[in-house]
Amino acid sequence: MHLKDRRILLTGATGGLGSALAIELAKAGAKLGLVDTEYDQLGQLYDKIHPLTDVTTCLADITELRAQQNIIHDMYSAFGGTDILINNAGIKEFIEYTEQKPAMMERLLKVNVIAPMQLTRLLLPEMLSRESGHIVNIGSPFGSTASAFFTAYSASKFALRGFTEALRRELDSTMIKVSYISPRGIDTPINGQALFNMAKAANLQMDAPDDVARIIVKAIEKEKKEVYIGLGQSITNRVNGIIPRLTDFFVSRKNRIMRQYTHHP
Ligand SMILES: NC(=O)c1ccc[n+]([C@@H]2O[C@H](COP(=O)([O-])OP(=O)(O)OC[C@H]3O[C@@H](n4cnc5c(N)ncnc54)[C@H](OP(=O)(O)O)[C@@H]3O)[C@@H](O)[C@H]2O)c1
């Protein structure tokens, strides 16, 4: 599907991956509705995108039902509707589970799972009546191979992947596409200093947001159902799906390194 003049709603638009995606989508000629929580950053992104394509911004916390409704309404006012929803906003915590604060755990699940599900639910009637539409959920390797010290985040991305798969099967007889795209580690602010320190110690590479954004835009154009970026990650996911005990064995050393970094940011 060509993205020229497609009306795309992108959450987490001012984040590391979101802003790279916004620019790639704008270059492809899409009309953009950009959603995020920071007024100044949204303004700066608008200034970059505006010369490239039609764009509207929406300052919103996507966990609030009223905000979700406003976002859909803003897209309708600006462009007459939404063709593609990219559920990109996300939060992550690198922490021992016993240290996890209940409020943060609840927020993480709301941002990473409930909000994407709600936005999708609000948009589906419009897409179904038009007989076209595409829901794109940005997942994570931890949505297929859960990781110690990312327990709530892993749970949230497993849930997002399950939601994507179930909805895709439910909408199988319609023209609506539902995709799950799993980037591997990206050099963005979601990975706080402790995680960057750990990644350095464990010799883990991080992808550049621009490169990942280009892969995601291509995947959307080709209407891919599932994309797992990185061969190593894809193999790990498959092995973990079949023999999770093998993964337990291989990650045990990495877990010892990770534990140190949760306490020493
Ligand atoms: N970076 C990685 O290593 C990596 C790897 C695999 C998958 N991913 C996924 O990629 C997606 C994008 O992450 P990123 O790396 O670009 O992280 P990021 O730079 O932290 O961007 C995430 C964006 O989401 C926004 N956001 C968070 N909560 C929100 C809310 N309630 N309402 C509206 N916006 C909200 C954040 O805004 P504030 O900063 O104002 O809260 C931020 O702009 C996430 O779904 C993440 O799980 C990332």
Side-chain angles (χ1 to χ4, degrees):
M1 180 207 276
H2 288 296
L3 297 184
K4 175 121 187 65
D5 291 332
R6 296 285 163 186
R7 301 160 298 180
I8 301 184
L9 172 52
L10 173 66
T11 66
T14 68
L17 179 58
S19 51
L21 265 175
I23 288 166
E24 274 310 304
L25 294 166
K27 283 189 201 161
K31 298 178 177 180
L32 297 179
L34 306 176
V35 179
D36 215 304
T37 55
E38 294 282 336
Y39 180 81
D40 289 345
Q41 288 178 14
L42 263 180
Q44 286 164 17
L45 186 61
Y46 176 90
D47 290 344
K48 271 192 204 161
I49 302 288
H50 183 56
L52 303 174
T53 190
D54 291 347
V55 55
T56 186
T57 57
C58 186
L59 187 67
D61 177 344
I62 56 164
T63 62
E64 291 168 11
L65 184 59
R66 178 54 65 87
Q68 294 159 5
Q69 291 162 339
N70 288 343
I71 292 167
I72 308 298
H73 183 263
D74 284 359
M75 284 298 285
Y76 193 80
S77 302
F79 305 129
T82 304
D83 298 305
I84 301 172
L85 164 65
I86 307 180
N87 284 310
N88 167 70
I91 52 177
K92 183 192 264 184
E93 259 203 316
F94 173 44
I95 192 168
E96 273 193 64
Y97 190 59
T98 48
E99 302 289 319
Q100 181 101 56
K101 303 269 187 297
M104 182 57 188
M105 185 156 62
E106 193 176 325
R107 180 150 186 85
L108 198 147
L109 286 163
K110 277 186 174 168
V111 174
N112 294 4
V113 189
I114 306 292
M117 291 176 73
Q118 291 279 32
L119 284 168
T120 302
R121 194 187 59 81
L122 288 169
L123 272 172
L124 269 181
E126 155 191 342
M127 290 182 171
L128 285 167
S129 71
R130 212 178 40 239
E131 293 186 10
S132 80
H134 193 168
I135 309 293
V136 180
N137 294 326
I138 304 299
S140 158
F142 297 165
S144 304
T145 306
S147 173
F149 311 112
F150 294 94
T151 43
Y153 183 74
S154 296
S156 75
K157 293 296 183 179
F158 261 77
L160 186 69
R161 188 166 64 87
F163 166 62
T164 313
E165 193 173 283
L167 187 67
R168 183 168 56 238
R169 289 172 182 164
E170 187 167 326
L171 297 175
D172 193 31
S173 60
T174 76
M175 300 300 285
I176 316 299
K177 311 287 182 221
V178 189
S179 303
Y180 179 82
I181 301 182
S182 167
R184 54 188 176 182
I186 320 169
D187 190 357
T188 70
I190 204 172
N191 300 316
Q193 195 56 49
L195 208 158
F196 278 114
N197 292 346
M198 184 275 290
K200 203 170 160 196
N203 215 11
L204 301 174
Q205 300 297 318
M206 297 253 183
D207 290 329
D210 295 354
D211 295 341
V212 179
R214 276 190 286 276
I215 294 171
I216 294 176
V217 170
K218 280 214 171 69
I220 297 172
E221 284 172 338
K222 291 185 177 163
E223 298 180 339
K224 297 249 186 196
K225 291 179 182 173
E226 286 187 343
V227 175
Y228 296 88
I229 298 176
L231 181 64
Q233 201 56 60
S234 302
I235 294 169
T236 304
N237 291 345
R238 278 174 201 270
V239 170
N240 187 58
I242 301 165
I243 327 170
R245 279 187 193 177
L246 202 60
T247 316
D248 293 348
F249 174 75
F250 280 116
V251 298
S252 61
R253 187 181 156 269
K254 196 175 104 195
N255 286 349
R256 283 196 293 278
I257 299 174
M258 286 168 83
R259 186 185 297 278
Q260 297 164 22
Y261 283 88
T262 60
H263 288 294
H264 300 287

